[in-house]
Amino acid sequence: LSDMAYVLGIESSCDETAVAIMKDEQVIVNLISSQIDHAKYGGVIPELASRLHQQNIVYLVQQALEEAGIAGRDLSAVAVTQGPGLLGALLVGICFSKSYAYALDIPLVGVNHMEAHILANFIKAPRPSFPFLNLTVSGGHTQLVVVKSFFEMEIIGQTIDDAAGEAFDKAAKLLGLPYPGGPQVDKHAREGDPTAFSFPKAEVGRFQFSFSGIKTALLYLLRDGLKGDPDYIQKNLRDVAASYQHRIVSILIEKVEDAAKEYGLNQLALAGGVSANSQLRADFMAMCERNGWEAFIPSMAYCTDNAAMIAYAGYHKWKAGMSSELNLSPYTRV
């Protein structure tokens, strides 16, 4: 095993305990333990998430090693999400990773969660080449990023309030849909009319995003509708979901198309949990085809939070001689 590099990846930024192992640049194990306990609360409870990470992490690492057919001593490095994320949840992954790396006397590599989402585009072919433009859409972040190398990324625009993922989740809550809400909105939107209702588009900076206004518009629409009809949401659910989703996706597509033309980039990528949204994927591909650009979207397994992207980012940092000290601290924001 001495001529092979095995990197353990650990992700615990929110409500998914995830562990992956890479052999060189190939993901050989990718495990995720989803915390369904949060569904009954309609959102992630940070303290509960932290406790569940504590329960799951040792077992998942042991399972990953068994499935990879290796022992801990065969690992070359441990990569872990440093942030952004929930502080308590991050601490579980970081504290475990510090101890594990120290015990094995191997490098510890802290990884930026958002950068790892972008690098998920490299896990499987086809892969983009540098430089390329990436639209990152996750629960807490919406960013336009010019990706110049594995380690050099320039954020050229981002949300000034709610992220796209938050807007979807909050809409789901207003519509009475179960958590996690984003996929539920997507599901009902597929059978609705995207032109049935009109939602506003915030006038902000050219490459900036704002989704708090569209959320408020939905709140007022439902409030006024329910005054006249107690069954208003049930009767209009599909059309409201379709119209709401259409507005969010159209804003995202318009901004990324504008940025690609401004920066002269013809390779575009999606990343983050919301990149699993069916309309966003379809409209993104259509936009790239219309402009003669190459489009890259990670497979579904690597869109949402996962440890494979952490292991991949960590592998490249480790190969470049970049590692972290044992006083590595988590951070909650970018």
Side-chain angles (χ1 to χ4, degrees):
L1 294 175
S2 59
D3 59 337
M4 297 180 186
Y6 288 90
V7 174
L8 174 69
I10 292 177
E11 151 63 16
S12 68
S13 65
C14 192
D15 61 336
E16 313 261 79
T17 312
V19 174
I21 294 177
M22 289 193 63
K23 182 172 74 171
D24 295 327
E25 288 195 81
Q26 179 185 2
V27 177
I28 57 173
V29 178
N30 187 34
L31 304 177
I32 297 178
S33 176
S34 297
Q35 300 181 0
I36 59 172
D37 303 56
H38 300 282
K40 57 189 172 189
Y41 302 111
V44 177
I45 308 299
E47 176 63 22
L48 178 59
S50 302
R51 292 175 183 269
L52 291 171
H53 285 311
Q54 286 180 309
Q55 292 177 19
N56 295 333
I57 195 164
V58 174
Y59 166 75
L60 277 181
V61 170
Q62 290 174 337
Q63 184 182 347
L65 291 171
E66 287 175 10
E67 291 191 16
I70 62 173
R73 63 179 177 274
D74 299 316
L75 293 170
S76 302
V78 178
V80 62
T81 302
Q82 185 179 1
L86 300 174
L87 183 60
L90 289 166
L91 276 169
V92 176
I94 288 176
C95 288
F96 175 87
S97 299
K98 286 180 180 180
S99 303
Y100 205 58
Y102 180 77
L104 295 172
D105 193 25
I106 57 176
L108 172 72
V109 183
V111 171
N112 179 295
H113 183 82
M114 302 312 298
E115 293 180 359
H117 266 307
I118 294 172
L119 297 182
N121 279 287
F122 288 89
I123 294 176
K124 285 188 174 181
R127 300 175 176 90
S129 56
F130 303 114
F132 64 91
L133 179 66
N134 189 91
L135 172 63
T136 310
V137 272
S138 70
H141 299 84
T142 302
Q143 298 176 334
L144 278 171
V145 184
V146 176
V147 186
K148 302 174 183 177
S149 74
F150 285 118
F151 316 117
E152 187 180 1
M153 304 182 190
E154 178 188 357
I155 299 173
I156 61 170
Q158 57 189 330
T159 184
I160 61 173
D161 44 50
D162 284 2
E166 290 175 306
F168 277 121
D169 287 339
K170 289 174 181 177
K173 204 160 189 177
L174 291 171
L175 292 167
L177 300 175
Y179 175 86
Q184 291 292 324
V185 173
D186 188 14
K187 173 186 172 184
H188 290 285
R190 291 174 198 173
E191 300 176 8
D193 178 4
T195 64
F197 297 91
S198 178
F199 288 97
K201 170 189 169 187
E203 294 300 328
V204 291
R206 190 175 179 195
F207 301 137
Q208 303 298 100
F209 300 89
S210 171
F211 295 106
S212 62
I214 186 175
K215 174 198 65 180
T216 304
L218 175 63
L219 174 66
Y220 290 157
L221 172 70
L222 299 180
R223 184 193 65 183
D224 294 343
L226 288 168
K227 285 179 182 177
D229 183 357
D231 296 323
Y232 182 83
I233 292 178
Q234 184 178 347
K235 291 176 180 177
N236 295 280
L237 176 59
R238 293 172 180 173
D239 288 345
V240 170
S243 301
Y244 185 85
Q245 177 171 278
H246 173 72
R247 172 53 79 192
I248 291 177
V249 171
S250 68
I251 291 170
L252 293 169
I253 295 298
E254 181 182 316
K255 297 274 187 178
V256 72
E257 186 170 20
D258 197 16
K261 291 176 179 177
E262 173 73 19
Y263 284 81
L265 297 169
N266 58 15
Q267 296 200 65
L268 279 68
L270 272 181
V274 184
S275 64
N277 179 277
S278 62
Q279 187 184 344
L280 178 58
R281 294 172 81 92
D283 288 4
F284 182 82
M285 296 295 290
M287 173 202 63
C288 288
E289 185 175 347
R290 183 170 67 246
N291 287 283
W293 298 334
E294 289 187 79
F296 301 89
I297 309 176
S299 60
M300 288 292 188
Y302 304 131
C303 284
T304 52
D305 290 349
N306 66 89
M309 67 183 193
I310 304 301
Y312 189 90
Y315 169 80
H316 281 278
K317 292 183 77 170
W318 169 74
K319 285 282 285 185
M322 303 163 69
S323 62
S324 305
E325 301 295 328
L326 289 176
N327 63 357
L328 180 73
S329 297
Y331 51 86
T332 58
R333 296 182 178 275
V334 175

